Amino acid sequence: WMLLDVPGLGKTLQLIYLAQELKEKRGLKHCLVLCGINTLKTNWKKVLISCLLTLAPALVGLILWNKLPDTMNIHWGADGVADGTGSKAFVVFLVPAILTALNLLCFLVTPLDKGSQKQNPKAMGIIFWIVPLLSWAVNGFIYSVSLGKTWSVELVLPLLFGALFLI
């Protein structure tokens, strides 16, 4: 079972009682109560677009599938030397999927912070676009390196992270 809760209505405790009742009467073994759903309800279009943009590099990977090597560099040390690899399937499918899960987690957790309700709406809007940008940057970088493009990793990565903090 999954029970969704809109914050601020005093229903969380009622959902917990409902889960206990379902356990006693119907043998419910597991129940996940998600709070912060209001963000998803009121911003579902932004959430959907943001998640689709985060997953979109997988489509690029599918288009490039025959050109990409079976094993790709996915991690570089501070010296710019590749020190970690992953399979083509991991990079094309799992990296965007993991980032999409991170994106959804941000949408669910942010409203739980009482300070976020006083936050500037523009600053809150950044949450919708940081992870998709990160997904495109990470996958684009990995794809381009895998296809033979040479980058100065020790220059590009600090610029990327610096740009994220400027946003």
Side-chain angles (χ1 to χ4, degrees):
W1 276 82
M2 179 168 51
L3 302 171
L4 307 176
D5 183 23
V6 177
L9 299 176
K11 303 289 184 210
T12 304
L13 194 55
Q14 288 179 345
L15 285 176
I16 292 170
Y17 291 148
L18 174 62
Q20 288 173 336
E21 189 174 324
L22 289 171
K23 179 181 178 181
E24 293 168 8
K25 292 186 177 177
R26 295 190 185 170
L28 178 72
K29 293 185 180 193
H30 303 284
C31 181
L32 175 64
V33 177
L34 291 177
C35 299
I37 300 307
N38 200 34
T39 299
L40 294 177
K41 264 178 60 176
T42 58
N43 295 304
W44 69 271
K45 288 179 184 176
K46 281 185 187 177
V47 172
L48 180 63
I49 291 168
S50 181
C51 288
L52 289 174
L53 286 173
T54 305
L55 286 169
L59 293 174
V60 175
L62 282 172
I63 292 167
L64 297 173
W65 186 266
N66 291 331
K67 296 178 182 178
L68 293 171
D70 291 333
T71 302
M72 294 187 257
N73 293 326
I74 59 170
H75 189 272
W76 289 261
D79 58 357
V81 177
D83 60 5
T85 60
S87 70
K88 180 175 9 181
F90 175 82
V91 172
V92 171
F93 301 114
L94 233 46
V95 170
I98 290 167
L99 289 171
T100 301
L102 173 67
N103 206 18
L104 287 171
L105 181 66
C106 290
F107 296 140
L108 291 172
V109 172
T110 301
L112 299 178
D113 177 20
K114 294 189 189 300
S116 70
Q117 290 149 13
K118 297 176 187 172
Q119 190 69 259
N120 181 325
K122 287 183 181 179
M124 290 300 294
I126 291 172
I127 292 166
F128 289 102
W129 311 118
I130 278 188
V131 178
L133 288 172
L134 183 64
S135 181
W136 278 93
V138 167
N139 279 79
F141 185 79
I142 293 172
Y143 293 160
S144 66
V145 168
S146 297
L147 294 171
K149 173 77 174 147
T150 55
W151 294 92
S152 174
V153 177
E154 60 275 9
L155 177 65
V156 170
L157 291 182
L159 288 175
L160 172 66
F161 286 114
L164 286 176
F165 286 108
L166 287 176
I167 296 174

